[in-house]
Amino acid sequence: NVSTNTNEETHLEVYDLNGKTVYSQTITTLVGNTNFMITDLDRIPAGMYFVKISQSDNTKIVKISKVNN
């Protein structure tokens, strides 16, 4: 969940546990809370990853777990 006071670009980067970037995307977030789902991770194996969410003046890193269906 990302909260913003303006419409702005948000950069998403997914890193594996070794620090290698495995996914990168830029989206436009709208004023208020924006929920988003990263759906293009089919090509990476199941495991633990870090997602770096960057806006103009704010950066957040969250840990995610990817499971195969």
Side-chain angles (χ1 to χ4, degrees):
N1 188 19
V2 176
S3 180
T4 181
N5 294 326
T6 62
N7 295 346
E8 63 182 296
E9 285 189 348
T10 299
H11 303 283
L12 307 173
E13 295 175 289
V14 179
Y15 298 93
D16 65 15
L17 295 180
N18 295 316
K20 178 182 173 188
T21 303
V22 295
Y23 177 83
S24 181
Q25 178 183 6
T26 300
I27 61 172
T28 300
T29 52
L30 305 177
V31 173
N33 290 330
T34 301
N35 294 310
F36 53 87
M37 185 172 10
I38 302 171
T39 58
D40 299 338
L41 298 179
D42 293 340
R43 60 183 175 83
I44 65 171
M48 301 301 294
Y49 295 89
F50 293 99
V51 180
K52 180 178 178 182
I53 305 163
S54 302
Q55 295 174 319
S56 59
D57 61 347
N58 190 19
T59 298
K60 183 176 186 178
I61 298 175
V62 295
K63 188 175 180 181
I64 64 168
S65 176
K66 191 222 182 219
V67 295
N68 288 335
N69 294 343

